[in-house]
Amino acid sequence: MELSRRTFTALAGTAALGLALAGSSGAVPGPRGARTVPTGPPPPAPSADGKRHRVGFDRYSLLVDGRRLVLWSGEVHPFRLPSPSLWRDVLQKLRAHGHNAVTVHVPWNHHSPAPGRYDFTGVRDLDLFLRTAAEERLYVVLRPGPGGAADVDAGGLPGWLTVAEGTARTADPAYLRHVDAWLSAVDTIAVRHLFTRGGGTVLLYQLEDGSGVRADDPAGRAHLTHLYEKVRADRIDVPLFHTGGGPDGSGAPELLGTGREKGRLLHGIDVATPPGEVPPDLGHFGEHGTGAGTRTPGFLAGAAGGAADPWGGAPSGGKGYAQVRRTHDAAYERRNRLTHLANGITAHTVRMAFGGTSWGWLPSPGVYTSYDYGAAIDEGRRPTPKLAPLHQLGHLVRTVPDLARLDPAEEVRAADERITVYHLANPDTDAQVYVLRNDSAEQVTSMLPGTDVDVPVTVGARDAKLLVTGLELGRRKLAYSTAQPMLNTTVGRLDIAVFTGRHREVAQVALDCDTQPVTNRLDDEPAWAYDRGRLNVVVPLGVGGLSRVLVEGGDSETPMLLLFTDDATALRLWPYETPSGPLLVYGPALLRSAALRGSTVHLTGDVVGATGLEVWAPRGITTVTWNGRPVRTHLSRAGSLLMEGLLPAAPRVRLPALGGWRRRDGNPESEPDFDDSAWTAADRTSSRSTTPVPEGRPVLFADDYGFHYGDVWYRGRFEDARGLEAVSLSYSTGTQGLLMAWLDGRPLGTHRMPVPDEDTAERGTWTATATFEVPGKLRRRGRRVLSVLVRRMQHDGGRADGGAGDARPDAYRAARGLLSADFEGGSRDVDWRIRGAVEPDRVRGPLNNGGLHGEREGWHLPGYDDRDWEAVEFPREDRRQGVAWYRTDFRLDVDPGVDASIGLTLEDDPERAYRVQIFLNGWNMGQYINDVGPQHTFVLPNGILRTRGSNTLALAVLSDGTTPAGPRDVRLTLLGAAEGGVPVEAVDSPGR
């Protein structure tokens, strides 16, 4: 027996007592079910291997080629990262952190600028994303709608559909004709990437999002049946799923299809448990069993790992996504994911794994530009500490197949009732699984009577832990552990088991050993003792980083290495599958790839701070390279190749100050002599909008004239303003819309929709009437021009009462723009003309452009000649109502081997009322509202941002004229940097 003085002191009390304990309390195995597919190794990592594969499911799990698969997916929206080469970066981070799948929405509006037109090029290249996912060996869960994309304009429905015949999300034949065309376009790509056909890794495919479409409703069933038969006719043969019902299977279709071929859908559910609330039992321990009864496995198609934050940040207290990430932290992830796992959920999607940016006019009305979501990978693509539980559990379910087939077992109660215990057992191996959940605000330590865990177990406040007894670890058996297992693998001639927990938590691991093995403590922290057929190891986690214990001889000739980590250390531990078997790397911030050639393993990855490097490699590997450079190593006592020295930290990134600004007024449309002869006459008398057309008035709704995104200008001509006292303008927008009005070039005023509170944060459509007094000097005879600018914001996504009520399938049809104009002091006959965004270009697509004059004239594009603009400096003190444009160029020179994430930060006195549209190299990167917030920093994605070259930044500032309008402070901000990354290709910018 060996004990370091430091460890002996830490183990006083119950921990030290645990070393002497042995024996078993004899936990009762769970019931043995049918063994049609017994527990065994999971399928290998997927790829586009050209081979046919079988994909199915039973009540326990998905089945891939006759093997059980626990799906551990993270949701990523490639459309929220408009730089295709960075998709690989995010996918590599997902895989490295334990995910075996990626869930992908394909929003219709992102790809379809007009009926019958579908664009899958550039930033919309779905084929490229699916190829990249297959190359990174990730399964794909494909969600092409046709509707329901998360927090996207109109729920992902295209703008042109607002005025098209038919009602969305129904069985309306006119709507389904559009749907069929959309699905044909998507499925033509998807069918080439089906895992069943060997062309890619698409494993599951969703039929419609769950918004209001239920199979137990005749109309919903007719809708789903049509989609089912369409998708099957398009040769999509992977399992299909729908998310329109409850956890008990209500609303889930038994069988779909009307012809010979009828099929059962996987029944998926979405859940978003608010912080502070207890995660619901959605399966084994709920009221209705798991999945859709006993027919399909438990499938969480979307389990919230954060939350969307609305304008004003009412739920986050105005603190934005930093606060969301604090409330949805690592403990939140553990408590929810482990509750789901205990309930028999074996197909998981965490929403979001990476949120990204709702650039342009992409977001739904309720959310601002950032879609960081409080996700485990932040908007700047930087891993966060809350990745730890996803990383640990992902690698656990991948390497411990017992977890793919679990039944509820005999009830267990902790000695301290504040801990809830879920007890499950594998019917094939008799491994016993215990999920312990602490819903109290205090850390709890308790015994677990009636289990094989013979010592107290600690669970943090509002946290959870998974324990296993009777588990085969390589060629030895785990009696019990008070730390959560993370990994069970064999590298070369060495079995490796990893255990993890919170920092400084004392882990106790007991292995059944009939014969005493030789035990080597390779670091100072562990202590061990052998007593009565059991090897007991005790380690304070995280003290000194990774702790290693080598066990040799005894019951097995194969050595076993026990590794102990806390959360931070676990995030530097990287398993990787190679054709020659697994390897394990410890040290760097990320491992991206490992390739074996001869006796050398070639590693690529990221380094942030200076770090060591340790590699456990397959047999025959004696040398290491890191990012193409040889690394000097020696063979350690732990059987690893250990680097001599350290990998250097990432070089410092220097950012330039932004200066050389030039300014120009940007609302000539407000002037009475502006030429609007080419504008569209607003003279329609009927509309398909759900908003009534005022009787006897023309239709002024922007969508009816083909202007679906961004700002809209109106110019109305009328005769004789004598006696005109006021003008009342009714308008309809999404959240935080506004209206500005001028009469004969004279500002009448600005009206803004109110800042939403917690009760109205999700309201999709806002309407108001703005009444402006007409100055006496304008009340004259003669022709007058009323100019109106409406920032329309986005279309309603389809929820009534801000998400609190039932889904409304026609909510997307609510009008945007002006509704009507009334004149106090006599009626007026007005001839209206309307102008919005120009035709979208192929590079940026329909969601990038709006209707500001500067956008229509290309003032935001690189290469525009602004030499005649006024030279200015910030801060500015403009007090005019209207639009002002600012432009500057800046150059970056980031080291080519460094992945730097850079943002643009705007700050000013929050009392100043103005908003800014941000354009980088012609791309609309979002909207800043100074007096609403909470967003101040906007991520500038590499590719659109030239990190080695010149960039053009343009700001369109809308000011209501009531306060000084800035911006005051505009600067580049370094969000993070790592040496490594992926090669980045420039994204096209029109105007260069």
Side-chain angles (χ1 to χ4, degrees):
M1 176 179 181
E2 293 185 13
L3 284 173
S4 71
R5 180 173 297 177
R6 176 168 34 157
T7 305
F8 184 87
T9 302
L11 300 179
T14 58
L17 177 64
L19 290 172
L21 298 177
S24 170
S25 60
V28 179
R32 294 182 179 275
R35 297 196 179 193
T36 53
V37 180
T39 300
S47 65
D49 57 9
K51 301 176 182 178
R52 291 274 180 172
H53 296 278
R54 291 177 292 116
V55 181
F57 53 84
D58 62 11
R59 71 185 184 93
Y60 287 104
S61 71
L62 295 171
L63 302 171
V64 175
D65 294 329
R67 298 186 183 188
R68 295 200 175 278
L69 173 72
V70 176
L71 192 75
W72 197 252
S73 183
E75 186 164 322
V76 171
H77 295 161
F79 54 90
R80 282 192 165 106
L81 183 55
S83 179
S85 53
L86 292 182
W87 297 343
R88 186 179 301 277
D89 172 70
V90 174
L91 293 176
Q92 287 181 347
K93 286 169 179 169
L94 277 187
R95 176 181 42 74
H97 287 101
H99 296 81
N100 57 16
V102 58
T103 296
V104 185
H105 276 285
V106 188
W108 191 353
N109 57 3
H110 184 47
H111 297 274
S112 183
R117 287 174 53 189
Y118 302 100
D119 188 348
F120 290 92
T121 64
V123 299
R124 296 164 296 280
D125 194 341
L126 177 62
D127 187 81
L128 173 61
F129 184 88
L130 297 179
R131 288 202 314 271
T132 306
E135 289 165 3
E136 297 305 329
R137 310 202 74 180
L138 289 167
Y139 292 111
V140 175
V141 179
L142 195 64
R143 304 181 80 160
D151 297 300
V152 173
D153 180 276
L157 300 176
W160 55 262
L161 200 67
T162 61
V163 293
E165 186 181 0
T167 300
R169 303 187 185 100
T170 70
D172 187 320
Y175 166 67
L176 291 179
R177 283 195 293 272
H178 294 303
V179 168
D180 286 351
W182 162 242
L183 291 179
S184 292
V186 174
D187 292 348
T188 297
I189 298 170
V191 74
R192 301 197 296 266
H193 297 273
L194 297 178
F195 185 63
T196 46
R197 297 169 180 261
T201 56
V202 174
L203 187 76
L204 302 177
Y205 182 110
Q206 183 180 30
L207 294 183
E208 189 60 275
D209 191 81
S211 301
V213 181
R214 291 174 61 94
D216 53 0
D217 170 71
R221 185 176 182 85
H223 181 194
L224 288 175
T225 297
H226 179 93
L227 296 181
Y228 176 87
E229 294 182 337
K230 166 61 180 170
V231 168
R232 288 301 191 216
D234 286 345
R235 298 179 296 131
I236 303 297
D237 60 3
V238 297
L240 308 178
F241 71 95
H242 176 60
T243 59
D248 59 347
S250 62
E254 274 283 337
L255 297 172
L256 281 183
T258 57
R260 281 186 180 180
E261 182 194 352
K262 292 187 178 181
R264 175 171 294 137
L265 269 65
L266 275 168
H267 175 52
I269 57 176
D270 295 334
V271 62
T273 304
E277 293 190 12
V278 177
D281 288 324
L282 301 174
H284 288 319
F285 297 93
E287 296 180 5
H288 305 285
T290 183
T294 58
R295 299 181 299 276
T296 74
F299 179 21
L300 269 182
D309 198 38
W311 284 108
S316 67
K319 298 177 182 178
Y321 285 113
Q323 179 64 16
V324 174
R325 188 168 284 107
R326 280 190 287 270
T327 57
H328 296 73
D329 60 4
Y332 172 90
E333 294 284 2
R334 261 188 305 273
R335 195 158 65 124
N336 281 271
R337 304 314 150 227
L338 286 176
T339 299
H340 302 330
L341 194 64
N343 272 273
I345 308 295
T346 56
H348 306 251
T349 289
V350 175
R351 175 186 296 163
M352 300 293 300
F354 165 76
T357 302
S358 295
W359 54 278
W361 299 104
L362 175 66
S364 67
V367 298
Y368 46 90
T369 298
S370 174
Y371 202 68
D372 177 280
Y373 210 77
I377 301 172
D378 71 18
E379 187 184 1
R381 299 177 292 108
R382 302 298 151 184
T384 69
K386 67 178 289 181
L387 262 172
L390 303 176
H391 180 84
Q392 295 159 15
L393 291 170
H395 289 301
L396 176 66
V397 298
R398 182 178 61 83
T399 61
V400 178
D402 307 65
L403 301 177
R405 190 178 185 209
L406 294 174
D407 289 315
E410 184 177 272
E411 182 180 11
V412 168
R413 292 182 179 272
D416 191 314
E417 295 183 353
R418 290 175 293 178
I419 292 183
T420 299
V421 181
Y422 298 93
H423 179 202
L424 304 107
N426 183 288
D428 301 320
T429 66
D430 287 336
Q432 307 293 304
V433 176
Y434 305 93
V435 171
L436 317 180
R437 195 182 69 216
N438 175 14
D439 297 320
S440 77
E442 299 176 338
Q443 178 176 289
V444 175
T445 299
S446 176
M447 296 295 296
L448 300 177
T451 73
D452 283 335
V453 182
D454 293 335
V455 295
V457 177
T458 299
V459 185
R462 295 192 178 93
D463 208 333
K465 177 180 291 189
L466 180 144
L467 305 180
V468 183
T469 65
L471 179 69
E472 297 291 339
L473 293 179
R475 294 150 185 87
R476 303 178 191 270
K477 177 168 283 192
L478 174 70
Y480 70 84
S481 169
T482 66
Q484 184 170 292
M486 169 183 158
L487 183 69
N488 177 30
T489 188
T490 298
V491 179
R493 298 181 177 86
L494 190 65
D495 289 338
I496 300 178
V498 180
F499 297 89
T500 188
R502 313 297 75 76
H503 183 64
R504 289 191 176 275
E505 178 180 302
V506 176
Q508 301 186 58
V509 170
L511 297 178
D512 284 332
C513 303
D514 291 337
T515 304
Q516 180 173 353
V518 175
T519 305
N520 297 290
R521 176 168 57 88
L522 305 182
D523 297 283
D524 290 338
E525 288 71 28
W528 62 269
Y530 179 80
D531 186 30
R532 290 177 290 174
R534 183 164 288 178
L535 175 66
N536 298 278
V537 180
V538 182
V539 185
L541 299 177
V543 179
L546 188 66
S547 294
R548 307 156 182 84
V549 174
L550 182 62
V551 181
E552 299 177 289
D555 296 345
S556 173
E557 295 182 358
T558 301
M560 165 162 277
L561 183 65
L562 303 176
L563 301 177
F564 298 88
T565 81
D566 63 358
D567 289 346
T569 306
L571 286 172
R572 297 169 58 204
L573 199 61
W574 309 106
Y576 196 94
E577 295 293 327
T578 77
S580 298
L583 62 76
L584 184 63
V585 174
Y586 171 61
L590 182 72
L591 177 69
R592 294 184 179 272
S593 69
L596 308 181
R597 290 192 289 272
S599 61
T600 302
V601 57
H602 300 272
L603 307 176
T604 67
D606 294 0
V607 173
V608 177
T611 181
L613 178 67
E614 188 170 9
V615 182
W616 287 270
R619 299 181 187 184
I621 298 299
T622 58
T623 56
V624 177
T625 70
W626 176 259
N627 287 344
R629 296 187 294 269
V631 174
R632 188 173 179 179
T633 64
H634 66 269
L635 186 63
S636 76
R637 293 175 62 198
S640 62
L641 296 171
L642 185 61
M643 180 180 181
E644 298 176 3
L646 299 175
L647 296 172
R652 182 180 177 185
V653 174
R654 299 180 183 274
L655 300 179
L658 296 176
W661 291 96
R662 306 184 77 82
R663 180 192 179 281
R664 182 173 181 178
D665 289 344
N667 48 282
E669 299 93 336
S670 65
E671 297 301 323
D673 58 353
F674 178 81
D675 182 5
D676 61 15
S677 59
W679 288 24
T680 302
D683 54 7
R684 299 190 177 193
T685 58
S686 64
S687 172
R688 288 196 173 99
S689 172
T690 56
T691 304
V693 178
E695 186 175 355
R697 310 285 183 88
V699 175
L700 298 178
F701 312 157
D703 286 297
D704 286 75
Y705 298 97
F707 303 122
H708 305 303
Y709 306 108
D711 300 293
V712 181
W713 275 98
Y714 297 84
R715 284 173 58 86
R717 287 183 168 83
F718 62 94
E719 298 289 345
D720 197 350
R722 289 178 298 172
L724 180 59
E725 298 178 5
V727 175
S728 293
L729 301 171
S730 295
Y731 71 115
S732 176
T733 72
T735 309
Q736 281 302 288
L738 65 72
L739 175 149
M740 293 179 175
W742 294 260
L743 185 59
D744 277 357
R746 175 75 176 265
L748 295 181
T750 297
H751 185 278
R752 298 170 51 173
M753 296 298 179
V755 180
D757 56 23
E758 289 199 41
D759 294 330
T760 59
E762 295 184 33
R763 180 188 295 174
T765 294
W766 297 70
T767 58
T769 298
T771 300
F772 303 112
E773 182 180 347
V774 175
K777 65 176 63 177
L778 295 179
R779 302 175 188 176
R780 301 190 303 269
R781 182 192 300 272
R783 194 165 181 80
R784 297 286 174 261
V785 178
L786 177 63
S787 301
V788 182
L789 172 64
V790 179
R791 174 144 290 182
R792 45 172 292 155
M793 305 300 279
Q794 289 85 8
H795 298 92
D796 195 327
R799 281 288 182 185
D801 303 322
D806 294 330
R808 296 203 324 264
D810 59 355
Y812 66 100
R813 289 192 186 276
R816 291 295 184 262
L818 269 183
L819 305 181
S820 65
D822 290 291
F823 299 90
E824 184 179 338
S827 62
R828 300 291 188 278
D829 292 327
V830 184
D831 293 324
W832 287 102
R833 290 185 175 272
I834 182 172
R835 189 69 171 95
V838 296
E839 180 75 10
D841 61 78
R842 287 289 300 272
V843 174
R844 296 167 300 172
L847 294 164
N848 189 80
N849 296 338
L852 293 179
H853 181 81
E855 291 180 275
R856 303 197 307 268
E857 296 296 318
W859 293 0
H860 58 313
L861 298 179
Y864 180 83
D865 187 356
D866 59 10
R867 287 176 294 179
D868 61 344
W869 289 27
E870 175 191 7
V872 297
E873 295 181 0
F874 291 155
R876 293 289 298 166
E877 292 288 337
D878 287 345
R879 277 186 175 270
R880 60 180 293 277
Q881 173 183 295
V883 185
W885 282 80
Y886 300 85
R887 282 174 55 95
T888 190
D889 294 321
F890 64 92
R891 185 174 185 84
L892 297 176
D893 191 21
V894 177
D895 188 298
V898 171
D899 178 14
S901 182
I902 296 170
L904 182 75
T905 298
L906 296 89
E907 289 183 325
D908 205 342
D909 180 346
E911 297 299 317
R912 295 187 172 190
Y914 66 90
R915 59 185 65 191
V916 181
Q917 207 70 21
I918 300 166
F919 296 90
L920 175 69
N921 294 327
W923 287 82
N924 179 344
M925 296 315 305
Q927 181 176 189
Y928 168 75
I929 305 183
N930 182 67
D931 56 337
V932 175
Q935 184 176 7
H936 287 272
T937 296
F938 294 75
V939 173
L940 308 177
N942 298 345
I944 291 178
L945 178 71
R946 276 52 165 164
T947 58
R948 293 183 62 79
S950 180
N951 297 273
T952 297
L953 180 64
L955 307 178
V957 179
L958 275 67
S959 170
D960 66 9
T962 62
T963 69
R968 183 191 70 189
D969 183 17
V970 183
R971 65 182 185 274
L972 297 174
T973 302
L974 182 65
L975 306 176
E979 186 171 41
V982 299
V984 177
E985 297 180 8
V987 179
D988 287 344
S989 293
R992 282 194 176 274

